[in-house]
Amino acid sequence: MAVKVLVPTALQKFTNNQAALECSGNNISELFDSLEQACPGIKSRLCDENGNPRRFLNLYVNSEDIRFLQNTETPLKDGDEVSIVPAVAGG
């Protein structure tokens, strides 16, 4: 199963400057593990020590925020697109 992962510029140093990767996983949690295998060091930038997404990152599956789905247990299927989007704050 192939899932397309869109990687923000700030994390592309872990992906050999690739903005998109194909990885696998039945859910977001497994996708994090797959990303770590392909790009060592990236998982610690995406997840805290409990495996939860870091607060400053937003994750979307096909444009749906995983916080409103099943968070890291959000199921993935072949052809899904996962976007990793850094949170932006300002005033």
Side-chain angles (χ1 to χ4, degrees):
M1 164 176 46
V3 175
K4 183 177 182 179
V5 181
L6 302 178
V7 181
T9 303
L11 294 175
Q12 289 177 16
K13 63 183 174 186
F14 296 99
T15 65
N16 292 322
N17 297 315
Q18 294 180 72
L21 300 171
E22 285 202 0
C23 289
S24 62
N26 292 316
N27 58 39
I28 295 293
S29 183
E30 289 181 14
L31 183 71
F32 286 158
D33 292 335
S34 178
L35 278 167
E36 179 64 20
Q37 282 187 320
C39 309
I42 198 168
K43 186 175 179 180
S44 66
R45 305 289 194 214
L46 300 173
C47 304
D48 63 18
E49 56 281 343
N50 297 317
N52 297 313
R54 294 200 176 274
R55 291 184 312 143
F56 57 84
L57 288 177
N58 297 311
L59 294 154
Y60 298 89
V61 175
N62 301 324
S63 302
E64 293 285 331
D65 191 330
I66 68 165
R67 293 176 292 183
F68 301 110
L69 299 171
Q70 297 173 39
N71 210 349
T72 58
E73 295 305 311
T74 298
L76 298 170
K77 60 187 183 312
D78 191 40
D80 279 348
E81 184 175 274
V82 175
S83 301
I84 303 168
V85 181
V88 178

